[in-house]
DNA sequence: TGAATGATGCGCT
DNA sequence: GCGCATCATTCAT
């Protein structure tokens, strides 16, 4: 038997303080077994949204139908619809009852490039996954993949033992409140991070 | 290369 | 009705 080099992250990875999980996710691989085939990408940019005291967090004003997954156990997807045309993928963190999640903002294509290009209507991998809306469009993720268990076999994160040499940190992008918190983490050596404003 | 703007629909007040 | 964890396009420099 060859040595197992890729491992699906367990629930215990997600069920930790969000600001510990967020930088740890960089360099891991998001895998989605789509109906059209297996897709994967190397995560290079994320943002943390944490609970009642974070005004930018969807859960800041209590539980609603939309943000319910954030209040559930760690290790589930939270996908929401925004601006009338885009979806964004989050990973729920912290124990049940502590609403928090990590937004996937950018990644580098790995497996299934042709499917991603087709989903996005592009002919080049340039700027394919460098934004939360663009990532979900390329992966074909919608509300149907909301609240899925990341320890199941449909969508999960793999650890391929890759190190990030240059973890950077900044303000979060695209929000009007909570700018004092520098909860955006990204791979400073990657050219695939989002553009910001 | 950067600023401004329109697209587009749902959840929440 | 309003605002939104976005993006592609347009226009100005």
């Amino acid at each position: 038997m060859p040595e197992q080099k890729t491992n699906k992250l367990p629930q215990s990875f997600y069920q930790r303080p969000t600001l510990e999980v967020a930088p740890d996710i960089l360099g891991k691989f998001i895998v989605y077994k789509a109906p059209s085939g297996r897709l994967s990408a190397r995560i290079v940019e994320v943002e943390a949204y944490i609970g009642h005291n974070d005004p930018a967090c969807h859960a800041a004003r209590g539980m609603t139908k939309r943000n319910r997954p954030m209040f559930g156990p760690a290790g589930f997807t939270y996908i929401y619809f925004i601006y009338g045309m885009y979806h964004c993928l989050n990973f729920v963190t912290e124990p049940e009852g502590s609403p928090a999640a990590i937004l996937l903002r950018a990644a580098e294509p790995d497996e299934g490039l042709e499917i991603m290009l087709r989903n996005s209507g592009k002919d080049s991998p340039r700027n394919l996954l460098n934004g939360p809306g663009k990532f979900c469009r390329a992966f074909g993720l919608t509300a149907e993949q909301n609240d899925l268990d990341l320890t199941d076999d449909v969508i999960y994160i793999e650890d391929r033992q890759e190190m990030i040499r240059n973890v950077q940190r900044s303000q979060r992008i695209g929000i009007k409140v909570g700018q004092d918190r520098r909860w955006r983490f990204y791979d400073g050596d990657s050219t695939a991070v989002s553009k910001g404003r």
Side-chain angles (χ1 to χ4, degrees):
Chain A
M1 287 282 282
E3 183 186 355
Q4 175 76 330
K5 287 186 178 175
T6 71
N7 294 296
K8 182 190 303 182
L9 294 177
Q11 201 216 10
S12 57
F13 175 87
Y14 304 98
Q15 190 164 324
R16 291 185 293 151
T18 308
L19 293 181
E20 293 181 15
V21 181
D24 280 0
I25 284 184
L26 299 178
K28 305 289 194 295
F29 286 75
I30 175 78
V31 177
Y32 174 44
K33 294 181 179 174
S36 49
R38 178 187 167 101
L39 305 175
S40 66
R42 181 175 171 275
I43 298 169
V44 299
E45 178 182 349
V46 296
E47 283 176 356
Y49 290 86
I50 310 173
H52 306 88
N53 295 326
D54 174 10
C57 180
H58 287 170
R61 299 184 190 186
M63 185 165 65
T64 66
K65 181 180 179 182
R66 176 174 77 153
N67 67 24
R68 188 206 314 274
M70 296 184 84
F71 288 79
F76 279 73
T77 61
Y78 167 47
I79 298 179
Y80 62 86
F81 185 61
I82 189 87
Y83 294 117
M85 59 185 91
Y86 299 108
H87 292 272
C88 293
L89 169 66
N90 297 254
F91 311 111
V92 174
T93 56
E94 314 264 352
E96 184 166 5
S98 296
I102 293 169
L103 170 69
L104 173 50
R105 286 198 55 90
E108 297 170 353
D110 182 43
E111 304 161 274
L113 178 61
E114 292 304 317
I115 297 171
M116 297 182 207
L117 289 172
R118 191 188 327 138
N119 287 343
S120 297
K122 291 181 180 253
D123 54 10
S124 150
R126 211 171 72 105
N127 295 336
L128 184 64
L129 305 178
N130 64 338
K134 287 190 265 188
F135 173 85
C136 282
R137 185 181 47 178
F139 265 57
L141 296 173
T142 69
E144 291 184 23
Q145 286 76 39
N146 185 38
D147 211 13
L148 292 184
D149 190 335
L150 290 164
T151 63
D152 283 344
D153 219 28
V154 177
I155 182 166
Y156 54 89
I157 300 179
E158 273 183 2
D159 184 359
R160 298 186 190 172
Q161 318 285 4
E162 290 196 12
M163 291 298 177
I164 297 288
R165 302 160 171 261
N166 184 13
V167 175
Q168 295 291 317
R169 184 171 178 164
S170 78
Q171 287 185 331
R172 293 171 293 181
I173 290 173
I175 56 174
K176 294 197 169 95
V177 291
Q179 290 285 4
D180 51 317
R181 294 162 171 82
R182 299 176 70 245
W183 289 351
R184 171 174 176 252
F185 299 87
Y186 61 97
D187 177 359
D189 293 329
S190 174
T191 58
V193 297
S194 69
K195 298 279 191 277
R197 286 157 315 182

